[in-house]
Amino acid sequence: CTEIAFRDLPETAPPEMIRSDLAATVLQLKALGIDNIMNFEWLSPPPAANMIKALELLYALQAVDDDARLTKPLGMHLAELPLEPQLGKALLVSGELGCVQEMLTVSAYLQVQTLWVS
C-alpha cells in the first residue's frame, strides 16, 4: 500500500447493510410477520435494489410466493434453519435426492472460517 493509495481510500466504509446479501434478513423479517419490508423502518436503510434482489432470490428458492408472502411449509422451514437460504434449501431437498450426509458435510464446512487448525 502506498501513501497515494492510502489517501485515495474513503473516510468511512459503507455500512454492512449496503454491502451484504439481505436474503436471510428478509426471510427472518417475513417469519416474524413483517410482510411489507420495503416500508420497514431501518436504522440505515439498504438500497431498494438489494431488497429486490433478496426477494427475487427467495422467490427462486420458493420461500416466498407471488405476493412475497412466506410459503408454508418451505419458507417457514428455511426461516428456522440457522443457514443462508440457499444452503437451507439444498439441505431440505437433499433428503429427496438421497444425499443428506454429503449436504450436511458441505453445509458444515461452509459454516466455519477455516478447516485447518494451526
Side-chain angles (χ1 to χ4, degrees), residues 4 9 19 22 25 42 49 51 64 66 74-75 86 88-89 92:
I4 295 169
L9 291 173
R19 297 181 288 143
L22 297 177
T25 305
W42 302 91
M51 297 293 284
V64 296
D66 293 338
L74 180 62
Q86 300 95 317
K89 173 75 182 252
L92 291 173

Side-chain angles (χ1 to χ4, degrees), residues 71-78 92:
T71 59
K72 293 178 183 164
L74 180 62
M76 292 302 291
H77 288 311
L78 284 176
L92 291 173

Side-chain angles (χ1 to χ4, degrees), residues 23 32 74 92 95 100 103:
L32 290 171
L74 180 62
L92 291 173
V100 175
M103 197 56 228

Side-chain angles (χ1 to χ4, degrees), residues 87-100:
L87 273 178
K89 173 75 182 252
L91 196 57
L92 291 173
V93 173
S94 66
E96 299 168 15
L97 301 174
C99 58
V100 175

